[in-house]
Amino acid sequence: MNFPESRMAPRLVADSQSEMTEIVLPNDANTLGNLLGGRLMHFIDLTGAMAAFRHSRTHVVTAAMDHIDFIQPVHVGDLLILKSRVNRAFSTSMEVGVKVWVEHPQTGSLLHVASAYLVFVAIDTTGHRVPVPELKPVTADDQRRHEGALRRREYREAEAARRRQAKQAYAAKKEAELAKS
């Protein structure tokens, strides 16, 4: 498939940065008035998808949310500020980092409440994977995140291989047990 040259030109991290602000309402909270973790994950996924879309300039789907830290609770009435950026682009996928802060509405103070890493895959309108542009890290922080994304990808791949082997070993054991019966 051919892509316009401008769509595949290398991009800077700054080109993908996205920000979203939400107010936490009662329907977003549990019975204690704290933001539901699943609702926060939804906001994180949306913000991450925006960064991936800005980098790839095509449809993206979430492939993994392989790490998330819930650091502090968020309460009804708080303002959530979510910021995302592409950390590294691979052939058809991108790792996106999302950081979440809560802004106290009366004081304006900010508190880091969550961080997550997600992987998005670029697809065309038929759902087939498509290549994504190269990511050019510029700052030292860009480079640190770029290198960290590669380490996390290697870990994800090793973990997937370990799960496949465990599944195969379990299937072989079950087959052997059935053969003895």
Side-chain angles (χ1 to χ4, degrees):
M1 176 175 265
N2 293 328
F3 293 98
E5 199 168 303
S6 62
R7 193 184 88 68
M8 291 306 294
R11 303 251 164 67
L12 303 177
V13 172
D15 296 334
S16 72
Q17 292 177 333
S18 298
E19 183 173 328
M20 185 170 91
T21 304
E22 292 285 333
I23 187 166
V24 178
L25 298 172
N27 64 324
D28 299 321
N30 62 23
T31 56
L32 298 173
N34 296 329
L35 178 65
L36 293 163
R39 188 72 171 134
L40 179 58
M41 290 170 66
H42 176 74
F43 292 145
I44 288 169
D45 188 44
L46 288 173
T47 310
M50 288 180 221
F53 177 80
R54 282 183 167 159
H55 180 79
S56 65
R57 292 295 172 192
T58 190
H59 303 284
V60 296
V61 293
T62 309
M65 180 183 278
D66 65 355
H67 186 86
I68 185 166
D69 288 320
F70 298 105
I71 301 165
Q72 295 286 330
V74 178
H75 308 287
V76 170
D78 287 342
L79 296 176
L80 273 183
I81 301 167
L82 300 99
K83 295 183 180 185
S84 62
R85 56 188 272 156
V86 173
N87 291 333
R88 190 169 188 135
F90 299 97
S91 57
T92 60
S93 66
M94 299 149 280
E95 185 197 85
V96 175
V98 180
K99 282 193 173 184
V100 184
W101 289 267
V102 65
E103 179 181 333
H104 188 274
Q106 281 76 38
T107 66
S109 63
L110 293 174
L111 181 64
H112 180 214
V113 295
S115 292
Y117 295 113
L118 300 92
V119 177
F120 292 90
V121 174
I123 59 170
D124 62 19
T125 56
T126 63
H128 293 94
R129 289 174 173 248
V130 295
V132 297
E134 180 184 350
L135 183 72
K136 293 283 190 183
V138 175
T139 68
D141 188 48
D142 292 350
Q143 189 60 42
R144 179 185 61 79
R145 291 170 184 266
H146 195 257
E147 291 166 4
L150 181 60
R151 285 191 301 275
R152 285 184 291 276
R153 181 180 202 209
E154 290 167 349
Y155 176 79
R156 281 190 300 273
E157 289 173 346
E159 182 60 17
R162 185 200 62 77
R163 283 193 306 268
R164 274 192 305 276
Q165 289 172 345
K167 187 176 180 180
Q168 289 169 351
Y170 179 77
K173 179 181 174 187
K174 286 295 183 189
E175 191 174 309
E177 288 173 0
L178 285 174
K180 289 181 182 177
S181 306

